[in-house]
Amino acid sequence: MGAERVLILHQGNDLDVGEIQEIVDSIERDSGDGLTGTRVTTYPAAEPTESVAHALVLRLERDGEVTPDALSRTGTYAYEVSGGRAVVAVVVWAGEVSPWVRRVVPQHMVRVEATGMALTRRPGWKRLAGEDALAFVAGARDGEGRRFGDDLHVVVSLLPSTKPRRIRRLMPGGYLQWVDGVFRRAGASLGRIDVAHWLVCVDGPARVLHLAYLSADRNVMPLLPWEVLSRAEKRGGKKLT
């Protein structure tokens, strides 16, 4: 999901760089999420408690320094640093970019499963419906990818149109040529792991989801986003969903 801000309330003297890094490392370990690139701010406090930290979040929200409804997206972590000084860290997690996909992804997968394609029996396909994968797709920015165990790498592209003709114009050379670069930038290794590519298309109130799924097993027929393929690409296959 990623984080919007990290706020660290601490007793005593200012924290040094090593102490801040240790706290950030602890949060990443405890939360299971990375904080690379997230703004970290420290605040001295006589009594760093959860309630004081939450009051700070509300103040920053009023000042426009964090996005609205921040408390509903916070995680609170208590630690100690040198000298037994108490520390309370609050992470304001980023809001989901595309929360609507949580409803649409399962519907889309059911339609694919109805075709009986062999890829729907892959372990990676099963992971695609898990909460961790759903949360990633809902919160992903354009071009982000994440590996889920040894079975699946999910990549998300955000596109500013729902109309297939306009989407095709965003893919010079066709979908297959375009997506090769998308996968390389996202670190997805085709042929070594199953790769799922969600195309999240939004244009005002209109929303459409497309899916490509390429198995690591070359003998398993891939699923391609038929509606956005070029005319030449469509001549090489047939519509399945």
Side-chain angles (χ1 to χ4, degrees):
M1 179 186 298
E4 183 177 335
R5 286 285 295 273
V6 177
L7 314 172
I8 302 176
L9 282 70
H10 62 89
Q11 288 179 318
N13 297 331
D14 290 343
L15 301 174
D16 61 34
V17 173
E19 290 171 326
I20 294 172
Q21 187 61 58
E22 183 179 342
I23 293 166
V24 170
D25 290 344
S26 296
I27 296 172
E28 289 184 327
R29 183 172 57 251
D30 292 342
S31 68
D33 212 327
L35 298 173
T36 302
T38 305
R39 180 181 175 186
V40 179
T41 313
T42 61
Y43 299 86
E47 293 186 48
T49 63
E50 181 174 349
S51 59
V52 172
H54 287 182
L56 174 60
V57 172
L58 290 175
R59 191 191 83 194
L60 294 177
E61 184 177 323
R62 286 195 301 270
D63 293 344
E65 294 192 38
V66 294
T67 53
D69 200 26
L71 277 184
S72 69
R73 297 179 280 106
T74 60
T76 307
Y77 306 86
Y79 303 108
E80 283 190 359
V81 292
S82 59
R85 293 181 293 157
V87 168
V88 169
V90 171
V91 180
V92 180
W93 297 107
E96 291 185 339
V97 178
S98 311
W100 59 275
V101 303
R102 288 180 173 274
R103 172 180 52 84
V104 180
V105 163
Q107 297 171 356
H108 199 104
M109 293 181 67
V110 166
R111 289 197 297 271
V112 178
E113 288 164 3
T115 68
M117 293 183 73
L119 63 82
T120 63
R121 297 186 287 277
R122 301 278 297 173
W125 179 266
K126 305 303 180 187
R127 279 187 176 270
L128 196 55
E131 169 58 27
D132 53 352
L134 279 175
F136 170 69
V137 178
R141 268 61 179 176
D142 182 46
E144 284 193 79
R146 181 176 298 178
R147 185 167 177 151
F148 294 88
D150 296 326
D151 304 313
L152 180 67
H153 196 124
V154 179
V155 180
V156 176
S157 291
L158 305 183
L159 300 173
S161 180
T162 59
K163 297 184 182 301
R165 181 178 296 179
R166 293 181 181 175
I167 293 173
R168 286 193 289 270
R169 290 175 183 163
L170 300 174
M171 302 174 179
Y175 171 78
L176 294 176
Q177 180 178 318
W178 172 80
V179 82
D180 181 64
V182 173
F183 286 166
R184 281 190 284 103
R185 289 188 292 273
S189 301
L190 287 175
R192 297 183 180 179
I193 189 172
D194 287 12
V195 179
H197 182 212
W198 286 108
L199 293 89
V200 181
C201 308
V202 178
D203 185 3
R207 298 169 179 176
V208 173
L209 202 60
H210 297 282
L211 173 64
Y213 192 99
L214 297 95
S215 170
D217 183 348
R218 300 293 188 179
N219 294 317
V220 174
M221 181 183 294
L223 173 71
L224 296 175
W226 183 262
E227 299 298 331
V228 303
L229 297 185
S230 68
R231 188 172 301 174
E233 289 170 328
K234 287 180 177 179
R235 283 199 293 267
K238 65 177 182 178
K239 185 175 183 179
L240 294 170
T241 60

